[in-house]
Amino acid sequence: MEYKNDIMTNKPNILIVYTGGTIGMVKDYKTKALKVFDFSQIVDKIPELKQLDCHIDSLSFEELIDSSNMNTHYYVQITEIIEANYEKYDGFVILTGSDTMSYISSTISFMFENLQKPIIFTGSQLPIGDLRTDAKENLITTIEIAAARKNGKPVISEVCLYFEYKLYRANRTTKINAEQFEAFTSMNYPPLAESGVHLNFNEHLLHSQKNTAEKLVVRKKLDTNIAILKLFPGITKNVVESLLNIKDLKGIVLETYGAGNAPTQDWFIDLLKAAIQNGILIVNVTQCVGGSVILGHYETSVALKEIGVVNGKDITTESAIAKLMYLLGQDLDVKSFKMFFERSLRGEIS
Ligand code: ASP
């Protein structure tokens, strides 16, 4: 692990953690191929960073990864870096590929309880070494937000994602575009800040800092024995049955239609009912990018409610996966699992 550290104390200290992804690439002038940029020299390579009113250190994963290769092992690695440096730094900027950034950042949001400092994820659609890159704006503004303070306290004290002029609550985001710079959206929760001529924080939307005496709790146990069951007209019994009978399966994110609706055929409801009776937790999340599950609103969701499907309300699929891994890792009984899943733990549910 590469580590550059020469803290000055009078300005906010920001730690950048680079895990991989497009943002850290530069073009080799000879071969024209994209290669990884040495983040230990970030302040020298992007001189604009010197103008920021903060002190920046950086650290890179030894083995840089495309975010398609992300997994819970790396989540724990990111978490441990932040935990080990929590007292030393005032804010954390985590650079990952954008492809799975919503999953990664949503999970990290659950892993930190009583967070009092900003952890902000960003990346880019074009490499930092590209002339038209979106990386510089994303990185510079993210650092500025991570360093922002009001009355001696960080303005942001939650896990966020910054991309293309908008700061979002991380566990509300979804990647919606593979080409445009505006790659993310947060349909069910407005941006926490917007960057234009001024950097405007929507203060009423921010996670309000609780009693500072509450100690940071870091939970690293995640259970990956889960799956997504996305419904589509024509889905067969064979497919649903096979999925629900996966060995060691503990939880399912059931992606339903509209306001949480699903087929009412007996074979479908019976399969779900049997799975629930066998201890599998099934969470209902809508396939729509915006809006909420309202169990029982239509006849087509009444049976789901009756058999004990958990109401995911307006949570995103990414955040539901994260919360499922997290809560399953806490060894809760079914009643407590349902109670915690259906209420907001980190602002992920309205
Ligand atoms: N494939 C890249 C990744 O997610 C794309 C990006 O960095 O935006 O790692």
Side-chain angles (χ1 to χ4, degrees):
M1 196 168 287
E2 240 174 70
Y3 197 8
K4 204 179 158 234
N5 184 3
D6 53 352
I7 283 189
M8 297 180 337
T9 46
N10 49 347
K11 293 178 177 184
N13 292 303
I14 303 299
L15 180 64
I16 302 177
V17 182
Y18 176 49
T19 69
T22 304
I23 188 165
M25 304 273 171
V26 283
K27 212 170 239 169
D28 186 301
Y29 287 111
K30 277 190 200 141
T31 63
K32 301 276 182 271
L34 287 174
K35 61 173 192 186
V36 170
F37 165 95
D38 178 1
F39 257 84
S40 64
Q41 292 165 18
I42 189 164
V43 183
D44 305 328
K45 287 271 175 61
I46 309 175
E48 295 93 319
L49 293 179
K50 291 197 186 113
Q51 294 174 37
L52 291 170
D53 200 20
C54 59
H55 174 75
I56 302 164
D57 286 326
S58 68
L59 181 160
S60 280
F61 269 21
E62 245 158 46
E63 183 206 343
L64 298 166
I65 53 163
D66 184 291
S67 77
S68 305
N69 285 320
M70 253 304 157
N71 57 40
T72 53
H73 165 79
Y74 293 117
Y75 293 174
V76 172
Q77 211 173 315
I78 295 171
T79 305
E80 284 179 345
I81 292 171
I82 297 171
E83 188 182 18
N85 290 284
Y86 192 72
E87 295 307 326
K88 251 197 259 171
Y89 291 89
D90 302 293
F92 301 87
V93 171
I94 316 294
L95 306 178
T96 71
S98 61
D99 289 349
T100 63
M101 196 185 285
S102 292
Y103 290 92
I104 310 164
S105 55
S106 293
T107 316
I108 302 281
S109 80
F110 292 110
M111 295 169 83
F112 285 97
E113 200 178 324
N114 303 331
L115 189 66
Q116 304 285 343
K117 298 185 179 185
I119 300 177
I120 311 182
F121 283 74
T122 195
S124 64
Q125 294 282 56
L126 281 176
I128 207 154
D130 194 293
L131 263 186
R132 293 178 46 252
T133 191
D134 52 331
K136 282 194 184 178
E137 200 288 316
N138 285 350
L139 182 60
I140 291 168
T141 308
T142 300
I143 297 172
E144 209 173 340
I145 294 171
R149 299 180 77 78
K150 193 177 172 187
N151 306 329
K153 282 183 174 179
V155 175
I156 299 293
S157 56
E158 57 184 304
V159 181
C160 297
L161 187 157
Y162 182 83
F163 229 86
E164 191 63 4
Y165 304 111
K166 288 194 181 101
L167 180 77
Y168 302 106
R169 176 166 296 152
N171 57 33
R172 292 289 195 154
T173 61
T174 299
K175 185 170 181 184
I176 44 147
N177 205 301
E179 280 178 27
Q180 288 173 4
F181 289 155
E182 193 164 356
F184 290 87
T185 192
S186 164
M187 288 291 287
N188 288 334
Y189 202 75
L192 303 181
E194 283 172 74
S195 159
V197 173
H198 303 287
L199 184 55
N200 285 324
F201 290 96
N202 297 320
E203 289 188 32
H204 63 290
L205 299 171
L206 304 179
H207 167 78
S208 59
Q209 285 204 12
K210 286 196 253 149
N211 181 358
T212 35
E214 281 188 73
K215 245 186 107 219
L216 181 76
V217 182
V218 188
R219 297 188 208 272
K220 299 174 200 165
K221 204 171 152 220
L222 300 168
D223 197 323
T224 51
N225 287 306
I226 62 173
I228 299 178
L229 171 52
K230 181 169 183 157
L231 299 181
F232 56 90
I235 193 166
T236 62
K237 183 177 178 194
N238 194 10
V239 166
V240 177
E241 193 165 28
S242 307
L243 199 120
L244 293 173
N245 284 297
I246 291 171
K247 190 172 162 282
D248 297 330
L249 186 73
K250 294 200 188 130
I252 287 272
V253 173
L254 177 66
E255 273 203 4
T256 54
Y257 309 123
N261 307 318
T264 50
Q265 279 104 320
D266 287 347
W267 68 261
F268 180 74
I269 299 297
D270 289 347
L271 281 176
L272 294 190
K273 196 173 170 185
I276 291 170
Q277 277 164 0
N278 285 333
I280 294 174
L281 294 149
I282 303 183
V283 177
N284 188 348
V285 168
T286 176
Q287 292 180 12
C288 300
V289 280
S292 181
V293 164
I294 311 172
L295 275 185
H297 186 56
Y298 285 90
E299 201 183 23
T300 42
S301 69
V302 170
L304 299 182
K305 192 175 179 183
E306 281 169 4
I307 62 172
V309 166
V310 179
N311 190 345
K313 301 181 183 172
D314 66 344
I315 199 168
T316 60
T317 295
E318 292 87 335
S319 204
I321 286 287
K323 197 168 181 179
L324 201 49
M325 284 183 181
Y326 167 69
L327 288 180
L328 286 173
Q330 305 307 308
D331 299 321
L332 302 166
D333 57 48
V334 175
K335 206 172 151 223
S336 310
F337 176 93
K338 202 169 185 308
M339 191 259 291
F340 282 122
F341 203 100
E342 292 183 349
R343 74 173 201 209
S344 165
L345 299 181
R346 309 281 187 271
E348 74 284 2
I349 279 181
S350 295

